[in-house]
Amino acid sequence: MPDGGTLVLASAFNPKLNFVEIRISDTGCGISKESLPHIFELFATKTEGKGLGLGLSTVFGIVDRHKGSIEVRSEIGQGAAFIIRVPVGPKGPV
């Protein structure tokens, strides 16, 4: 968010489905519909061409190894929201 904005981090436990949900959202520039299918790919370029594109692929790998899921909702000019769901066992994340 180069011009400032709001970043929100929220979490919740769903006892019926036994998972933890982590939601990260911002009021930034958003992600184009064309880029959305590729954001978790290794070395995917960002809209401003900054960075190496390792961050989201790393997040995807961690969530996948914990048998979780990650969902992205975004529109240009409307920011983005990432919803991570990870199953929980008796002693914590699976």
Side-chain angles (χ1 to χ4, degrees), residues 2-86:
D3 299 323
T6 303
L7 178 67
V8 177
L9 176 62
S11 64
F13 174 64
N14 183 320
K16 284 187 177 182
L17 299 176
N18 203 36
F19 68 78
V20 171
E21 179 176 286
I22 303 164
R23 182 180 297 254
I24 303 109
S25 60
D26 67 35
T27 58
C29 60
I31 304 166
S32 71
K33 289 182 183 185
E34 296 80 26
S35 296
L36 277 175
H38 306 285
I39 62 171
F40 296 115
E41 294 173 5
L42 193 58
F43 304 116
T45 58
K46 298 181 181 178
T47 54
E48 294 180 6
K50 296 180 182 178
L52 297 174
L54 295 172
L56 289 177
S57 63
T58 301
V59 169
F60 181 86
I62 292 168
V63 171
D64 186 59
R65 283 187 181 96
H66 284 89
K67 299 179 177 85
S69 65
I70 185 166
E71 175 186 348
V72 183
R73 299 177 187 164
S74 185
E75 290 186 33
I76 294 294
Q78 301 296 314
F82 291 80
I83 300 101
I84 299 168
R85 293 180 182 97
V86 180

